[in-house]
């Protein structure tokens, strides 16, 4: 693999071929997608390396003191050999990146291969194609946060820890001195915390950027503008906190802090600036000077960083790992916007030239990212193609055989949807026998048995799957169990009806199809009921065949979830869209008569709304707007299909119309919205009874599931995802 290194003696920078690190226990191997250049810390290190030996000594008096002590203990010749050996070695650069987990070490169970993570540490989040990162120095990237934005995690944690040291309160006023990368992030974090911010920096471009990102006013530290703004905002008392985010050898930041801070104000040093405190000024105001140690508690503690020993949250609320996760969460929710800070995204192979341009001043930048091989696109991460698994039914597939009459059904799960939308239709359907209901709690099974007339109620799934008299199994449990239960039922030879979603991950989907191939049993239906809705089917028939590409718009006014809803348990049950989005993808694909070939998705900052564009083989597109912030009184689902001079319009399964050479409008309002559950179940029962084809081809069910899963990949990658059909 390749890694950016520097020889501290000569100052030479290079991209070196080095071995891939081993995956040790307690950590993960991460393949880099984007890494961030710290234009402060790293450039200081690069500049020091280019100095003469005397210049290096002057810039690092702390190291000189160690050398002198070593001479006294070990003698001059031994110390000289040790120092020269260390100087004439390659040292790494970098400490903030985002990448994909490639291998998981023993004892690590919070992430898996393929997960996107943000990583920290000047020994573990290096500018390298692959890094080994210990447990407490990485966190999973939240849904919807682009990899290039997640690469800011470490510097964001540094800024966040500095703000925590200042203990800001709502309504206070703060001064941020130095509006480089850290300073810009501090401005945004303070503004998000309800603090009014004044910025100071000699660069007018950085001042203008800080004002766009939340500062009330900014100006040159030596101008009257900063002092006037502070006086106006504080009534002449001075700011509550000063954050020193500047570097260099000038003592001006420290002196400005003393002049503009209020009595007993707080001064927090985040950067590395000169700290010759003017004693009288700091004493008379009794200023509280604080230091912010990098990412937060745990930094420089080998037991925390290397051994993975966490600090109890009751004693240390914000460790460096929790700071990292917090910053990513703020970025994912739009509370912090790092996109305006990105001055350039350079290819990793151009690292040496990029550093040269930064060092020589040719490139004026707040933040620069390295993009690694496999991350294509002008400033955008190219999401990988998502495979649509091929359906293989096996060479020894058993032919479908007609079921006995009546059709005997078993239900696994008897929650709200099963008892309100499925069982009422089946309980009164002639030729259907509700044979068994399986739940994890005895009482829920007993309730379903009493209400719908199941022949038996049990908690023993294996007994039901092994019962030869059961023709079909309904899987109506929580989302996380759908794929595994479906797989087991298929292997048991049952016809399966599984409520959406079929799977929450590509691995789960592959597991279901492996069961199909192993057993030869492809008798599967997913509860995509909208294509069976009578009103929509009539409207599609009225619209007729089309010759040209179509444009479909689908608005889903999903609304807010109630507190406590299990849909909120995304860690185990998947995202809300992963759970129900297949409904809308399937409806669009059925109306357009094809499966999608690519998916693009964006999530507006600060909310859970999704905008999704599906592209189809003939050039047709479907735009799905899945929104949670709409008015509750507005219809939940509306769609428009436009093609060949015709328009089909559906209003929440209550009214439909088609405009063309003639106009058709559904004649009357139905007594209730019919979203197709009854017709869907009738088709399923008929297929079970007759042994005929399933209502929806398995290939279509797989394509819809893959497209739904690709939405998350598109959000993470920030680019369209190709749906590649497996051969």
């Amino acid at each position: 693999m390749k890694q950016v290194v520097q020889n501290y003696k000569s100052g030479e920078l290079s991209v070196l071929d080095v071995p891939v690190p081993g995956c040790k226990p307690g950590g993960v191997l991460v393949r880099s997608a984007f890494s961030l250049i710290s234009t402060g810390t790293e450039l200081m290190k690069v500049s020091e390396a280019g100095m003469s030996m005397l210049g290096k000594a002057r810039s690092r008096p702390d190291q000189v003191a160690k050398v002198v002590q070593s001479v006294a203990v070990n003698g001059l010749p031994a110390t000289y050999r040790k120092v020269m050996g260390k100087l004439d070695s390659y040292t790494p650069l970098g400490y903030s990146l985002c990448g994909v987990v490639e291998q998981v070490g023993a004892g690590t169970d919070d992430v898996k291969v393929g997960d996107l993570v943000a990583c920290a540490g000047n020994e573990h989040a290096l500018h390298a194609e692959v890094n080994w990162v210990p447990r407490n120095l990485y966190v999973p990237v939240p849904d919807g946060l682009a990899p290039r934005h997640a690469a800011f995690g470490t510097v964001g944690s540094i800024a966040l820890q500095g703000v925590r040291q200042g203990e800001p309160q709502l309504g206070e006023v703060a001064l941020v001195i130095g509006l480089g990368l850290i300073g810009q992030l501090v401005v945004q974090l303070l503004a998000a915390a309800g603090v009014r911010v004044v910025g100071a920096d000699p660069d007018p471009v950085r001042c203008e950027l800080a004002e766009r990102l939340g500062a009330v006013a900014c100006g040159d530290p030596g101008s009257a503008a900063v002092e006037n703004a502070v006086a106006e905002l504080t009534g002449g008392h001075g700011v509550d906190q000063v954050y020193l985010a500047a570097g260099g050898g000038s003592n001006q930041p420290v002196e400005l802090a003393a002049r503009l801070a209020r009595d007993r104000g707080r001064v927090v040093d985040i950067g590395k600036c000169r700290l010759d405190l003017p004693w009288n000024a700091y004493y008379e105001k009794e200023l509280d000077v604080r230091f912010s140690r990098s990412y937060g508690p745990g930094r420089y503690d080998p037991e925390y960083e290397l051994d993975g020993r966490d600090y109890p949250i009751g004693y240390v609320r914000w460790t460096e790992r929790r700071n990292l996760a917090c910053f990513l969460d703020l970025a994912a929710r739009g509370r912090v916007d790092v996109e305006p800070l990105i001055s350039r995204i350079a290819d990793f192979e151009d690292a040496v030239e990029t550093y040269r341009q930064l060092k020589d001043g040719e490139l004026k930048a707040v933040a620069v990212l390295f993009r690694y091989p496999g991350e294509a696109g002008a400033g955008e991460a190219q999401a990988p193609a998502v495979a649509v698994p091929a359906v293989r039914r096996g060479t020894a597939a058993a032919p479908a055989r007609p079921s006995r009459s009546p059709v005997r059904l078993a239900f696994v799960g008897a929650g709200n949807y099963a008892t309100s939308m499925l069982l009422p239709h089946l309980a009164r359907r002639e030729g259907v026998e509700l044979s068994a209901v399986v739940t994890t709690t005895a009482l829920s099974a007993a309730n379903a048995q009493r209400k719908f007339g199941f022949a038996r109620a049990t908690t023993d799934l294996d007994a039901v799957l092994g019962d030869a008299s059961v023709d079909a199994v309904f899987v109506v449990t929580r989302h996380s169990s759908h794929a595994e239960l479906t797989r087991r039922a298929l292997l048991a030879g049952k016809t399966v009806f599984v409520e959406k979603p079929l799977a929450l991950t590509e691995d789960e989907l592959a597991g279901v199809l492996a069961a199909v191939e192993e057993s030869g049993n492809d008798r599967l239906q997913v509860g995509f009921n909208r294509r069976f809705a009578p009103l929509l089917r009539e409207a599609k028939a009225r619209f007729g065949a089309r010759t040209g590409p179509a444009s479909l718009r689908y608005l889903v006014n999903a609304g807010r979830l109630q507190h406590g809803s299990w849909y909120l348990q995304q860690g185990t049950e998947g995202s809300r869209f992963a759970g129900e989005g297949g409904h809308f993808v399937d409806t669009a694909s059925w109306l357009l008569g094809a499966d999608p070939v690519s998916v693009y998705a964006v999530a507006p900052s600060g909310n859970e709304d999704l905008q999704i564009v599906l592209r189809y083989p003939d050039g047709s597109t479907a735009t799905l707007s899945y929104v949670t912030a709409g008015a509750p009184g507005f219809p939940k689902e509306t769609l428009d299909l436009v093609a060949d001079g015709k328009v089909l319009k559906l209003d929440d399964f209550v009214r439909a119309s088609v405009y063309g050479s003639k106009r058709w409008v559904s004649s009357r309002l139905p007594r209730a919205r019919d979203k197709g559950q009854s017709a869907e179940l009738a088709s399923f029962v008929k297929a079970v009874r007759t042994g005929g084809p399933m209502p929806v081809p398995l290939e279509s069910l797989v394509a819809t599931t893959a497209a739904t899963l690709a939405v998350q990949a598109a959000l993470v990658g920030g680019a369209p995802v190709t749906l590649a059909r497996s051969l």
Side-chain angles (χ1 to χ4, degrees):
M1 72 166 194
K2 295 188 181 299
Q3 178 176 349
V4 177
V5 297
Q6 182 176 41
N7 185 300
Y8 195 70
K9 179 181 178 181
S10 66
E12 175 196 4
L13 274 166
S14 60
V15 178
L16 197 66
D17 283 310
V18 298
V20 174
C23 188
K24 296 180 286 187
V28 295
L29 276 187
V30 177
R31 181 164 293 278
S32 302
F34 290 90
S35 62
L36 177 70
I37 297 178
S38 170
T39 49
T41 303
E42 285 188 64
L43 284 188
M44 179 178 65
K45 185 176 180 180
V46 169
S47 298
E48 284 180 1
M51 295 177 180
S52 65
M53 294 300 292
L54 181 59
K56 289 182 174 71
R58 286 174 173 170
S59 67
R60 295 297 303 273
D62 56 326
Q63 296 299 320
V64 172
K66 291 181 180 179
V67 171
V68 172
Q69 183 180 14
S70 179
V71 170
V73 174
N74 302 309
L76 182 59
T79 300
Y80 178 81
R81 288 192 299 270
K82 179 180 178 180
V83 171
M84 288 300 104
K86 189 170 184 178
L87 287 175
D88 196 19
S89 301
Y90 287 120
T91 60
L93 293 172
Y95 61 84
S96 187
L97 66 81
C98 174
V100 177
V101 175
E102 194 165 81
Q103 188 175 343
V104 178
T108 304
D109 57 7
D110 59 339
V111 293
K112 62 183 183 301
V113 172
D115 284 354
L116 192 69
V117 292
C119 308
N122 60 359
E123 295 179 357
H124 304 287
L126 307 172
H127 297 310
E129 290 181 316
V130 180
N131 286 277
W132 179 80
V133 188
R135 177 185 179 89
N136 281 337
L137 292 178
Y138 67 80
V139 296
V141 175
D143 292 346
L145 185 62
R148 67 183 186 281
H149 296 163
F152 281 77
T154 307
V155 291
S157 300
I158 294 171
L160 183 57
Q161 176 63 16
V163 170
R164 294 195 193 285
Q165 290 294 89
E167 299 181 31
Q169 301 291 319
L170 283 169
E172 289 188 331
V173 180
L175 172 65
V176 179
I177 302 176
L179 297 175
L181 177 55
I182 296 294
Q184 297 286 349
L185 293 170
V186 170
V187 166
Q188 293 194 60
L189 291 167
L190 289 169
V195 175
R196 291 174 294 172
V197 185
V198 177
D201 195 286
D203 187 338
V205 175
R206 291 184 173 184
C207 287
E208 188 274 334
L209 176 59
E211 288 180 352
R212 284 197 288 119
L213 295 176
V216 177
C218 296
D220 190 293
S223 69
V226 173
E227 295 194 30
N228 291 340
V230 169
E232 182 178 348
L233 289 170
T234 67
H237 294 294
V239 297
D240 300 283
Q241 308 120 43
V242 180
Y243 296 88
L244 303 177
S250 171
N251 208 46
Q252 183 190 36
V254 170
E255 295 168 2
L256 182 64
R259 190 162 68 250
L260 297 185
R262 65 164 169 81
D263 186 61
R264 293 178 174 80
R266 297 179 291 280
V267 179
V268 181
D269 179 35
I270 305 176
K272 189 178 181 182
C273 64
R274 187 175 174 184
L275 286 175
D276 292 340
L277 302 182
W279 189 87
N280 284 337
Y282 277 72
Y283 171 79
E284 290 170 1
K285 287 188 176 180
E286 200 175 346
L287 296 177
D288 183 356
V289 180
R290 303 179 178 184
F291 288 86
S292 178
R293 187 168 62 185
S294 197
Y295 329 144
R299 188 71 179 110
Y300 309 116
D301 178 355
E303 290 192 358
Y304 178 90
E305 293 192 329
L306 299 180
D307 298 340
R309 184 173 299 173
D310 198 5
Y311 301 151
I313 195 169
Y315 291 89
V316 184
R317 177 63 182 90
W318 293 109
T319 60
E320 60 179 315
R321 192 181 199 220
R322 291 194 272 267
N323 272 339
L324 182 58
C326 178
F327 180 81
L328 295 179
D329 174 70
L330 290 169
R333 292 189 290 118
R335 304 298 184 183
V336 177
D337 186 6
V338 299
E339 183 67 28
L341 306 180
I342 301 174
S343 304
R344 176 181 293 183
I345 299 180
D347 289 332
F348 179 59
E349 62 187 21
D350 298 328
V352 173
E353 176 62 16
T354 302
Y355 273 111
R356 186 198 66 77
Q357 292 179 5
L358 285 167
K359 180 174 176 288
D360 294 346
E362 294 178 22
L363 175 58
K364 303 289 186 182
V366 175
V368 175
L369 291 165
F370 286 139
R371 176 178 50 222
Y372 289 76
E375 296 295 331
E380 293 288 341
Q382 178 66 46
V386 170
V388 181
V391 177
R392 297 183 176 90
R393 292 169 171 82
T395 56
R401 62 178 179 82
S403 169
R404 66 181 59 83
S405 185
V407 172
R408 293 175 178 171
L409 307 178
F411 264 66
V412 182
N416 288 334
Y417 189 82
T419 57
S420 63
M421 304 305 298
L422 300 180
L423 284 169
H425 296 293
L426 292 168
R428 59 175 179 258
R429 185 171 296 279
E430 190 174 337
V432 168
E433 178 182 309
L434 298 179
S435 178
V437 57
V438 183
T439 63
T440 56
T441 60
L443 186 58
S444 60
N447 283 331
Q449 182 184 31
R450 177 186 60 82
K451 187 173 181 180
F452 297 104
F454 281 96
R456 58 184 168 127
T458 181
T459 58
D460 189 348
L461 175 62
D462 290 334
V464 171
L465 293 182
D467 185 347
S469 69
V470 172
D471 299 307
V473 172
F474 279 72
V475 176
V476 202
T477 53
R478 288 198 176 184
H479 297 167
S480 58
S481 62
H482 283 190
E484 175 60 17
L485 292 173
T486 299
R487 188 187 69 81
R488 292 177 62 185
L490 288 170
L491 290 173
K494 306 301 183 186
T495 302
V496 181
F497 182 108
V498 57
E499 254 310 318
K500 48 77 192 162
L502 173 60
L504 290 174
T505 68
E506 293 179 53
D507 287 344
E508 288 184 355
L509 179 58
V512 171
L513 294 181
V516 171
E517 183 174 6
E518 178 183 344
S519 65
N521 179 14
D522 64 355
R523 309 288 288 168
L524 176 65
Q525 170 65 14
V526 181
F528 298 143
N529 49 275
R530 282 152 176 78
R531 65 161 67 201
F532 296 92
L535 190 61
L536 187 56
R537 293 181 75 87
E538 183 178 4
K540 182 182 180 183
R542 297 274 185 175
F543 188 88
R546 59 182 176 86
T547 58
S551 175
L552 186 148
R553 299 182 304 168
Y554 201 149
L555 173 62
V556 182
N557 183 34
R560 299 289 187 189
L561 290 174
Q562 293 183 353
H563 178 71
S565 170
W566 61 267
Y567 268 98
L568 295 171
Q569 300 173 19
Q570 294 193 15
T572 57
E573 301 301 331
S575 70
R576 189 178 179 187
F577 187 82
E580 69 172 349
H583 271 321
F584 318 118
V585 175
D586 177 76
T587 303
S589 298
W590 173 71
L591 283 169
L592 295 173
D595 296 320
V597 295
S598 74
V599 177
Y600 177 65
V602 293
S605 297
N607 60 46
E608 300 173 346
D609 296 357
L610 297 174
Q611 304 295 327
I612 300 160
V613 179
L614 306 170
R615 187 169 60 84
Y616 289 82
D618 67 349
S620 296
T621 59
T623 303
L624 309 181
S625 298
Y626 185 84
V627 298
T628 62
F634 189 80
K636 181 179 178 182
E637 297 178 45
T638 54
L639 69 81
D640 303 289
L641 172 66
V642 182
D644 301 340
K646 298 178 289 185
V647 177
L648 181 156
K649 184 176 179 63
L650 177 73
D651 291 320
D652 208 23
F653 299 91
V654 171
R655 184 180 292 276
S657 54
V658 174
Y659 295 78
S661 57
K662 295 181 179 180
R663 180 186 176 191
W664 170 81
V665 179
S666 54
S667 57
R668 61 185 179 84
L669 296 178
R671 288 177 294 177
R673 291 176 179 83
D674 186 345
K675 295 186 179 180
Q677 284 92 348
S678 180
E680 174 190 37
L681 293 171
S683 297
F684 177 76
V685 170
K686 179 181 178 181
V688 176
R689 175 181 291 113
T690 64
M694 298 302 292
V696 181
L698 181 55
E699 286 79 3
S700 177
L701 300 177
V702 171
T704 293
T705 303
T708 307
L709 297 177
V711 169
Q712 181 58 38
L715 287 171
V716 170
V721 172
T722 300
L723 297 172
R725 266 62 183 176
S726 300
L727 299 176

